[in-house]
Amino acid sequence: MAEGRDRDVYTEPSPRTPAVPNPVTFFQAFFSYVVDAPVTFVREWIESRQAKNKFYYYHQKFPRVPDLSECMEGDHLCFFEAEAQWRRDRMVDQQIVEIVRERLGACKQREGPNQFQNCAKEIEQLAQVTKAYQDRYGDLGVHGNARTCLMKQKHRMIEERK
Amino acid sequence: MAAMSLLLRAAAAWGARRAAGGSARLPWAAGAARLPGTVAPVRYSSHGKRMFIIKATNFYDARFLSLLRFYIFLTGIPVALFITYVNVFIGEAELAEIPEGYVPEYWEYYKHPISRWIARYFFDPPEKNYEKHMALLDIEAKKTDLRMTELEARRLMRQRGDGPWYHYETPDKNLIDNSVKSTPDN
């Protein structure tokens, strides 16, 4: 359904007044000659020049360091590295939630009136991901750090044990 | 200016018509609501009467705006041209997977060529920054530890009295001269 209609099965009805040309095609042709073609030409010329000496950028991969729960007491360097890693992981989790939310939005936009039936998977996924995020990072507040998160995890485990 | 003269001419014509029919109207309404140049109907050879318009000066405003534009464009235009040149002829980097066995330099994590240049030649690598931060933390942590142990040692020495601190030297009791109080009559 998302990849377009099968034109043989769902044939369009023949237009009743074929003598009158559609004015929209005139505007489309005007736009394509006056705006689209020059812009595309300039862009392709620029890209052909830039393709001669290309260079790349990468996404930085950070090596894993021992967690806060594996740090010795009083080892402030270990605390610092674990804190930095926790903040990076929290940013990654925030982006994960954002991506899942965008997927749901795209699904709703695509499906239109069928969204309640066809987007059930995305809705379920978003519910799970937000619940997981709330459980882990939820009420830590703006001054939340790796230590408070660890304490929250400890309390969650205590609650589970009861 | 042309509209102004047209307006004045229309006002002069209207005033002339008013003055011609002024005897039939109320006498005190004859000279009311006139533009300054249209008190009497006069034929001028040029485009209306030359007026000395009195209004507040905009010399200072115009000078300020002119200077503002000058100083903004003095560096703004070269910078804009440079950035346009970089964007068109050098172009931004493309995202790629890190190849096997290759460790990218720290400036190769940026997309725009000017950001890469600044990161490469001006800023320190983030690893160096990180290590500096950790070195400061290490020094402070060691200072804290030393201070805590010093406080603990002081506490224990005061409590037990067997250490070099909180220990006041008293002279030997054999040095005391008891001859002063040795007889009952002193």
Side-chain angles (χ1 to χ4, degrees):
Chain A
M1 206 162 307
E3 61 269 10
R5 292 198 300 271
D6 192 355
R7 303 265 163 197
D8 295 329
V9 178
Y10 297 103
T11 51
E12 286 172 5
S14 58
R16 288 229 208 136
T17 55
V20 176
N22 194 357
V24 177
T25 52
F26 169 71
F27 287 117
Q28 283 173 342
F30 176 80
F31 180 83
S32 111
Y33 283 121
V34 174
V35 178
D36 197 7
V39 169
T40 315
F41 176 73
V42 169
R43 177 77 194 176
E44 280 179 3
W45 177 79
I46 291 177
E47 282 188 351
S48 69
R49 296 235 12 186
Q50 286 178 1
K52 288 177 203 152
N53 25 8
K54 242 183 200 315
F55 51 99
Y56 299 100
Y57 77 107
Y58 311 102
H59 280 165
Q60 188 162 11
K61 288 194 171 45
F62 291 92
R64 300 300 291 183
V65 289
D67 208 10
L68 191 60
S69 52
E70 295 161 21
C71 281
M72 304 298 286
E73 191 180 327
D75 187 2
H76 293 275
L77 295 180
C78 186
F79 293 162
F80 175 73
E81 295 209 298
E83 177 76 34
Q85 184 175 265
W86 180 82
R87 276 177 203 256
R88 287 194 295 267
D89 290 342
R90 188 176 59 166
M91 280 204 284
V92 167
D93 289 336
Q94 283 167 348
Q95 290 302 315
I96 289 175
V97 174
E98 197 58 39
I99 286 173
V100 172
R101 214 156 62 83
E102 274 174 13
R103 277 194 201 163
L104 176 66
C107 179
K108 282 188 172 173
Q109 174 69 21
R110 215 173 38 229
E111 301 291 337
N114 306 327
Q115 62 195 9
F116 301 105
Q117 280 97 358
N118 293 349
C119 293
K121 269 205 289 288
E122 274 85 359
I123 292 175
E124 176 63 33
Q125 203 175 24
L126 182 65
Q128 280 173 352
V129 162
T130 43
K131 179 168 189 321
Y133 186 86
Q134 185 71 12
D135 284 341
R136 197 192 277 193
Y137 301 105
D139 294 309
L140 297 178
V142 72
H143 296 293
N145 53 14
R147 183 182 296 264
T148 52
C149 188
L150 188 63
M151 293 298 111
K152 184 175 179 188
Q153 186 189 15
K154 179 190 83 175
H155 286 183
R156 263 192 294 140
M157 290 161 89
I158 292 175
E159 287 293 320
E160 269 176 38
R161 218 160 32 122
K162 279 189 195 156
Chain B
M1 290 308 280
M4 190 71 175
S5 63
L6 278 175
L7 174 64
L8 289 174
R9 194 179 301 170
W14 179 73
R17 249 180 279 124
R18 280 271 319 271
S23 55
R25 294 199 202 120
L26 299 167
W28 48 267
R34 281 182 198 274
L35 287 172
T38 62
V39 177
V42 179
R43 257 184 306 213
Y44 293 109
S45 52
S46 59
H47 295 272
K49 179 175 156 76
R50 272 178 49 196
M51 309 292 286
F52 186 80
I53 312 271
I54 300 179
K55 59 185 195 320
T57 178
N58 62 347
F59 170 75
Y60 298 102
D61 298 337
R63 183 180 67 177
F64 167 73
L65 289 172
S66 162
L67 285 173
L68 185 76
R69 283 193 303 265
F70 173 70
Y71 282 110
I72 285 179
F73 290 142
L74 184 65
T75 46
I77 288 184
V79 166
L81 287 174
F82 175 71
I83 293 179
T84 307
Y85 171 79
V86 166
N87 279 339
V88 168
F89 291 100
I90 300 181
E92 293 184 337
E94 239 183 68
L95 183 58
E97 284 293 327
I98 300 179
E100 284 295 326
Y102 176 66
V103 177
E105 303 283 345
Y106 65 98
W107 68 81
E108 287 178 357
Y109 294 115
Y110 296 94
K111 186 158 72 162
H112 197 264
I114 298 182
S115 311
R116 285 167 83 105
W117 188 84
I118 295 174
R120 184 171 176 180
Y121 291 107
F122 284 143
F123 289 161
D124 282 329
E127 292 89 10
K128 179 173 172 191
N129 215 15
Y130 195 78
E131 293 292 326
K132 271 163 72 172
H133 209 144
M134 293 233 282
L136 281 176
L137 279 179
D138 188 42
I139 290 172
E140 290 298 315
K142 289 199 169 81
K143 274 159 74 173
T144 313
D145 286 338
L146 277 177
R147 286 171 186 157
M148 296 296 282
T149 46
E150 187 198 335
L151 285 176
E152 187 66 19
R154 258 206 215 163
R155 188 183 67 84
L156 287 172
M157 278 196 240
R158 186 188 267 273
Q159 182 189 342
R160 295 176 192 164
D162 57 354
W165 298 350
Y166 299 104
H167 179 92
Y168 299 99
E169 289 287 339
T170 48
D172 196 10
K173 64 175 167 45
N174 300 324
L175 299 168
I176 301 174
D177 180 19
N178 287 320
S179 59
V180 179
K181 298 279 185 185
S182 53
T183 50
D185 296 327
N186 286 349

